Amino acid sequence: MKAYRGKIHISIVTITVCGFAVLTLLFTDIISPLSSKYTTHVLKFKPCPKKNVDTKSSEKLVETNLESNNSLVVDDRLFDFESEECNIANGKWVFNKSIKPLYTDKSCPYLDSHVSCVKNGRLDTSYLHYEWQPDDCTLPRFDPEIVLKKLRGKKLMFVGDSLQKGQWQSFVCMVESVIHEDNKSLIRGRFHSVFTAKEYNATIEFYWAPYLVESNSDNPIIADPKKRILKVDSVAKHAQHWLHKDILVFNTYVWWMSSLKIKALWGSFVNGEQGNEELDMLIGYEIGLKTWANWVDSNVNPNKTRVFFTTMSPTHSRFLDMAATTTSNIGGCSDDDGREDRVTATTVATYRPLAYHMLSPQRLHLHLQQGQNRSQDWGRISETQCFNETKPITKKKFWSSGANKQMMSVVASVVNKMKVHITFINITQLTDYRIDAHSSIYTELLMEERRINLQRYADCIHWCLPGVPDTWNQIFSAYF
């Protein structure tokens, strides 16, 4: 009987222990959702969460904390993308009439005329109401106050060509409206322009270096690509201005695409064309990028400075080699009064990155006859380029001939071998869909000409502001 009682006793103990364990697990499941609201883990949610994850309570807590403590800056991890969770390139443009840009080309005083499309007469404004939605995550909105708090006491510099200048102007316009008039200023220079947010002790700068490496066309600009000479082994003249920055954002593509060959100089420009040799564009591009990469690895302290590289902004126009005489606005260098330089071009070359809307009607007709119409990429037979396009491409994985995969592969190869970590702002695929958002015919120079065949003067390289570069900065701001 004792043995029997012992067995009953053991069973009772076992059942009791198991019962307590089950109750404990149930209690934990009930209480954990409540307690998680009051832990700091809420601030660690990804900016690109899966769509089935509800982040409203997390966002509300972040906003509450910011309101209750003005000195609080959201944890950097809040803005970190993880590629395995969010491939920003996979997604679609969604029309949303309720979306309004943070600025207009009339409200922001810092925009160049050639990107001020509405001010220059564009009546269709549907391009302003598209938002990029990745397939498997949510892109955090651009909050100018949060961005400025994260930039407090820092120097941010964009370095590159006129497309990079557009991204810089977009960034400045996206934040300037929340700064009191007395606490902001902009100083323009031929190479270096600086926007200062005095209240935040922060600067947002642009430095003109279309090749990153030195060239005889940096300033003044030489419009004929055949006369440009590049010092592919030196960035020294430019790079002295890149020092002591907290955030650097580079790009260089479209100017390299102006010719199939480049002239590379090994030495000084004092000797003119002596000592230069002709290289295939891709070879010269790789050498130039390696020169830039060596400078970054040798001069940037990754503990103090973050380095970004904006991927290629696709062009939706293509013209093959031919001779023409034109006056062009490149949108790169400005004088001290902020006026854009105009240059006289003698050659229009492959993927020419200059504005080509100033051709005479006769030259333009020949130009188009000999050129290849890139609007055929998206099924347009007529030679209208991006003119009169009012909607983005909807075909998934659309890739135009204006996005050079070979150049992008060179960039990836060089960056992968660098010691300093480089973060890509991956804009190429999502930008390639936006044939509707270029400056097109709505530029200052065109508005002065008002001649025949206006659709053929379209600038299908640069972008209206506000516009697509705002999305680039939305992505960029989520990283830093």
Side-chain angles (χ1 to χ4, degrees), residues 180-204:
H180 191 273
E181 195 66 33
D182 295 336
N183 288 324
K184 58 188 175 185
S185 64
L186 177 65
I187 300 175
R188 292 180 182 267
R190 287 187 174 273
F191 282 95
H192 190 188
S193 298
V194 181
F195 174 82
T196 302
K198 300 175 185 177
E199 178 183 351
Y200 296 89
N201 189 30
T203 60
I204 304 168

Side-chain angles (χ1 to χ4, degrees), residues 66-248:
L66 284 170
E67 290 174 0
S68 61
N69 183 359
N70 291 332
S71 64
L72 175 65
V73 175
V74 181
D75 192 322
D76 282 348
R77 287 169 293 187
L78 179 67
F79 292 87
D80 285 343
F81 282 113
E82 293 184 11
S83 58
E84 64 272 15
E85 293 195 22
C86 180
N87 185 343
I88 205 69
N90 293 334
K92 60 184 177 182
W93 289 98
V94 177
F95 182 80
N96 185 346
K97 186 65 176 179
S98 65
I99 295 174
K100 293 184 179 180
L102 292 171
Y103 64 97
T104 70
D105 57 5
K106 295 180 181 179
S107 69
C108 183
Y110 307 120
L111 292 177
D112 289 338
S113 296
H114 72 274
V115 297
S116 302
C117 298
V118 173
K119 189 185 291 186
N120 288 333
R122 181 164 183 171
L123 299 178
D124 163 48
T125 58
S126 60
Y127 70 97
L128 296 172
H129 302 288
Y130 282 92
E131 64 177 343
W132 179 249
Q133 290 186 0
D135 287 338
D136 59 354
C137 54
T138 301
L139 186 62
R141 65 190 177 91
F142 186 103
D143 188 318
E145 292 186 351
I146 291 179
V147 168
L148 284 168
K149 285 179 180 179
K150 293 179 72 66
L151 285 177
R152 188 183 296 278
K154 295 182 179 180
K155 296 180 178 180
L156 161 62
M157 175 178 275
F158 293 85
V159 181
D161 55 28
S162 56
L163 290 163
Q164 193 78 332
K165 185 181 182 184
Q167 186 177 358
W168 166 71
Q169 290 185 353
S170 162
F171 195 99
V172 169
C173 289
M174 291 174 82
V175 301
E176 67 88 22
S177 63
V178 299
I179 306 173
H180 191 273
E181 195 66 33
D182 295 336
N183 288 324
K184 58 188 175 185
S185 64
L186 177 65
I187 300 175
R188 292 180 182 267
R190 287 187 174 273
F191 282 95
H192 190 188
S193 298
V194 181
F195 174 82
T196 302
K198 300 175 185 177
E199 178 183 351
Y200 296 89
N201 189 30
T203 60
I204 304 168
E205 309 174 35
F206 171 73
Y207 186 84
W208 170 255
Y211 294 106
L212 296 186
V213 296
E214 299 171 30
S215 81
N216 67 342
S217 185
D218 292 332
N219 187 30
I221 294 168
I222 297 174
D224 184 352
K226 294 180 180 179
K227 295 181 180 180
R228 297 176 189 167
I229 304 173
L230 281 62
K231 289 184 65 175
V232 291
D233 63 341
S234 178
V235 295
K237 183 181 72 175
H238 298 317
Q240 60 181 313
H241 300 280
W242 308 343
L243 295 168
H244 313 302
K245 307 301 178 188
D246 299 284
I247 304 172
L248 288 166

